[in-house]
Amino acid sequence: MIILGIESTAHTFGVAILDDNKVLSNEKDSYTTETGGMIPTKTADHHVEICDIVLKQALKKANKKINEVDLIAFSQGPGIGHCLRIGAIFARSLSLLLNKPLIGVNHCIAHLEIGRLEGAKNPILLYASGANTQIIAYDGGKYRIFGETLDTGVGNFLDSFGRDIGLGFPAGPGIDKLAEKGKKYIQLPYSVKGMDVSFAGMHTFLRNKVIGKQKVEDICYSVQETAFAMLLEVAERAMAHCDKKELVLGGGVACNTRLKEMSKIMCKERGAKCFIPENQYLVDNAAMIGLTGYLMYKAGNETPIKNSEIRSYERTDDVVVNWRN
Ligand code: FE2
């Protein structure tokens, strides 16, 4: 079966072609800025401008024709309404034109499913991206959120902090590079509340007490050490609580070299396996949407056009999971 996956929850517009669970192509174009953040309307304009180009690239790379596609999978939520709508219209149009079934996919669950393609059987997912920061695991017939951010996603926090120190969007790679040269650890607010984390207090503290008063390299180093320790404390506790021996990383922030390193150390210390998909599958990508759509369709799911509305606020644990036993 040939699956066409479409991703458009935020700054990335992606199209992937899969043959069952084998990824044939995984193309994308992401909205970026030199200074300032992501403006939803401009991001949606970007997606409109490049959607057909990305589709053509994906088909060419997969050596497939559009009429060979058997199933269209798209990110139905959660995400930015402006962006989700472009992907949904694109998916619905293709489904109607080609007369092929449509399947709406939860973006957060897709990050976990692509991790299982790496060999993880029953993992805890540390999903660290711009808008989303969640610890997810399959338990009792559902993907459940064991911990999450109480305010901003870790990536949005890093982007906002990055803007404060003059970096463009996304700021994560710049912070990662600067942090490598940091030597001095600056004590920052460490906010783990039960199984949840919070970044707003650290950001306020950075703005009021640290930025402009300390070396930027040391600040980036301290931000990474503190924020990632918070994430891994909660992830480790979820692993212990659920008795799971596998950790999967997902989300754009998981491309960070220090987060990868700290995750491997934590897993090694507790005798667990750490699965880190290659960067093209960590960031927002259409391959994970195509794969999850395929798994869902095989289990008998389909999304008729009338139910294909975007779901900006869909929660991971709202999704009925009938494709796992
Ligand atoms: Fe994501």
Side-chain angles (χ1 to χ4, degrees), residues 65-276:
K65 299 240 165 7
I66 190 74
N67 53 15
E68 290 178 79
V69 170
D70 301 304
L71 173 70
I72 292 144
F74 73 104
S75 269
Q76 197 166 10
I80 300 168
H82 298 72
C83 305
L84 278 169
R85 203 159 278 123
I86 307 304
I89 292 168
F90 195 65
R92 279 181 216 124
S93 308
L94 286 171
S95 168
L96 288 168
L97 277 168
L98 301 169
N99 196 24
K100 294 294 173 189
L102 187 66
I103 185 117
V105 171
N106 178 285
H107 174 94
C108 307
I109 289 176
H111 273 290
L112 193 143
E113 291 296 359
I114 197 87
R116 291 209 297 147
L117 206 57
E118 298 288 310
K121 288 188 177 64
N122 193 10
I124 291 276
L125 169 71
L126 169 55
Y127 176 25
S129 75
N132 299 296
T133 298
Q134 297 178 339
I135 312 292
I136 303 171
Y138 183 74
D139 196 55
K142 271 194 166 184
Y143 282 107
R144 296 180 193 275
I145 301 168
F146 284 86
E148 64 189 313
T149 180
L150 295 171
D151 38 55
T152 175
V154 62
N156 285 357
F157 155 65
L158 291 172
D159 285 330
S160 305
F161 159 66
R163 277 204 296 283
D164 295 339
I165 59 168
L167 299 174
F169 172 82
I175 294 169
D176 196 357
K177 269 214 178 84
L178 287 163
E180 274 176 27
K181 295 185 204 115
K183 289 189 179 73
K184 187 179 102 181
Y185 180 75
I186 305 153
Q187 192 82 41
L188 299 173
Y190 182 98
S191 305
V192 171
K193 302 178 181 194
M195 288 295 285
D196 296 324
V197 293
S198 157
F199 299 101
M202 196 195 314
H203 194 195
T204 306
F205 185 85
L206 285 163
R207 280 180 166 168
N208 293 347
K209 305 268 188 188
V210 184
I211 295 168
K213 298 179 179 73
Q214 302 274 357
K215 276 170 96 175
V216 74
E217 292 85 355
D218 290 337
I219 305 175
C220 289
Y221 166 71
S222 307
V223 163
Q224 287 197 169
E225 294 301 305
T226 311
F228 298 160
M230 285 160 51
L231 296 178
L232 285 168
E233 178 189 330
V234 182
E236 183 171 18
R237 206 174 316 130
M239 289 170 85
H241 174 73
C242 301
D243 196 23
K244 295 205 195 270
K245 307 261 185 303
E246 298 171 331
L247 178 72
V248 163
L249 297 190
V253 180
C255 294
N256 183 287
T257 50
R258 182 61 179 146
L259 180 57
K260 286 181 183 175
E261 188 182 15
M262 287 168 77
S263 302
K264 285 181 197 158
I265 294 167
M266 183 271 274
C267 285
K268 195 175 174 205
E269 284 180 351
R270 58 179 298 110
K273 276 190 186 165
C274 187
F275 294 88
I276 307 179

Side-chain angles (χ1 to χ4, degrees), residues 1-5 15-28 58 61-64 110 113-115 117-118 277-278 280-281 285-292 294:
M1 170 175 239
I2 301 297
I3 307 110
L4 190 152
V15 177
I17 307 290
L18 290 84
D19 187 348
D20 291 351
N21 63 1
K22 189 170 168 249
V23 181
L24 302 179
S25 66
N26 186 31
E27 298 298 298
K28 70 179 173 78
K61 205 161 178 193
N63 200 20
K64 294 286 171 199
E113 291 296 359
I114 197 87
L117 206 57
E118 298 288 310
E278 52 183 286
Q280 65 161 326
Y281 301 128
N285 66 89
M288 67 182 192
I289 304 301
L291 173 71
T292 310
Y294 167 66

